[in-house]
Amino acid sequence: KFILGAKEIEFDAVANKGKILNYAIGEHIENAGVHSGDASVILPAQKLWVGTIRQVKNYAADIARALNITGPFNIQFMAIENEVSVIECNLRASRTFPFVSKTLNHNFISLATRAMCGMEAVPYRISLLDIDYVCVKAPMFSFTRLRGADPTLGVEMASTGEVACFGEDSHEAFLQALLATGFKLPERNRSILLSIATHGFRREFSKAAVILKELGYTLYGTTGTAQYFNEKYNLDIKPLKKPSNEDDKSICDETGVSNALTEIKSGKIDLIVNISEGTTRRDEISSGYIIRRAAVDFDVSLITNIKCAIMVAECLGRGLDKFKAKHIGQFYKLPTIGWEK
């Protein structure tokens, strides 16, 4: 059974003899189905219902008690609406433990070590709801060094590193983290190519497409994508022919429009949003791969996840590309309400 459209939730905690001492709850920007090592994680979680958080905490407490855990552990949950399920529980420190410790300014590993050694382990005073900043972890990839590899996200981990950045809200932190990975905003030509395979994802991206058009970006689209947004939202997206192979330079016989691959190789495209997920058509899958691979080979920024693409558009719409970076200490000094750090 495959579950689609679920939100993935990270639960990192330290327990002592089955009792949780401290925990942190983060949420993935991408829907469940992207390996947690390749996902962008927001901490503290910003868009979870109180009922969902309550279920996550209760399930985690039950698991810690049943397994009599002492030390660090990580549980991955997924939630649809307010229905929470457990994906897996790992009785070890996860890759998000350093991220959690840095975000909350408390060393979870130090606490776990004291518990495992039988020493006194006093929980830190942490209130996730009262932390007045957000941190986002973003993955880094090495697709440029892997000839022919498909630069897309899935259940198998592909990232080779990660970065994390702080912000006043999730959008500010996300964009800074994305830029820290080497991602380049569409500033040179202010041109963006949209290639979205299914109507469902096109509909989901519609508000983002309108934002990008209102910001003055030149929008290109593969034939079906351009037709959808032009008919539904009158966005005047310039259509481009999908490539049929890696050397395809042909123009469309019926309309005379240029080939997407030609425009990418000529340096006219600054950013590509390519969402092939959800389609079973062989031509969509193969042309999607060719476009993605060309983006990597010709150093064009690429987004292959609909949630991340929407968030980038929202960041640009808020003018967050003109942010001023702050020192981590400035966030740690922010006052809390109702409790002292």
Side-chain angles (χ1 to χ4, degrees), residues 257-273:
V257 300
S258 181
N259 192 297
L261 199 56
T262 302
E263 300 299 304
I264 295 169
K265 291 181 177 180
S266 65
K268 294 181 180 179
I269 306 295
D270 292 340
L271 169 64
I272 297 173
V273 176

Side-chain angles (χ1 to χ4, degrees), residues 13-17 68-73 92-93 97 111-113 115-116:
V14 176
N16 190 12
K17 298 177 182 178
N68 195 28
I69 298 174
T70 293
F73 70 100
R92 55 167 172 75
F97 251 70
L111 182 66
T113 302
M116 295 169 72

Side-chain angles (χ1 to χ4, degrees), residues 53-197:
I53 294 174
R54 185 184 299 116
Q55 288 184 65
V56 166
K57 289 167 60 178
N58 289 338
Y59 290 165
D62 290 343
I63 291 171
R65 187 165 47 250
L67 299 179
N68 195 28
I69 298 174
T70 293
F73 70 100
N74 163 270
I75 305 176
Q76 292 165 24
F77 295 93
M78 64 178 173
I80 297 182
E81 298 296 329
N82 209 20
E83 183 178 340
V84 178
S85 303
V86 176
I87 299 175
E88 64 179 2
C89 174
N90 299 298
L91 298 180
R92 55 167 172 75
S94 69
R95 65 177 55 81
T96 47
F97 251 70
F99 170 59
V100 166
S101 298
K102 199 75 171 179
T103 301
L104 304 180
N105 198 24
H106 289 295
N107 194 328
F108 273 40
I109 286 297
S110 177
L111 182 66
T113 302
R114 295 184 67 87
M116 295 169 72
C117 292
M119 302 170 66
E120 183 181 14
V122 180
Y124 301 118
R125 296 192 64 193
I126 299 172
S127 176
L128 295 175
L129 292 176
D130 293 324
I131 294 173
D132 207 18
Y133 57 83
V134 180
C135 195
V136 170
K137 175 185 78 71
M140 294 185 69
F141 301 93
S142 300
F143 290 120
T144 54
R145 301 182 182 183
L146 302 172
R147 183 179 178 85
D150 189 355
T152 189
L153 304 181
V155 295
E156 295 181 352
M157 183 174 170
S159 65
T160 52
E162 52 197 11
V163 298
C165 287
F166 288 71
E168 294 182 4
D169 58 33
S170 56
H171 284 80
E172 182 179 290
F174 170 73
L175 189 62
Q176 292 189 46
L178 195 62
L179 292 174
T181 67
F183 183 89
K184 293 179 294 186
L185 294 175
E187 296 175 339
R188 186 178 56 183
N189 302 306
R190 293 184 62 79
S191 57
I192 302 172
L193 169 60
L194 307 177
S195 182
I196 305 174

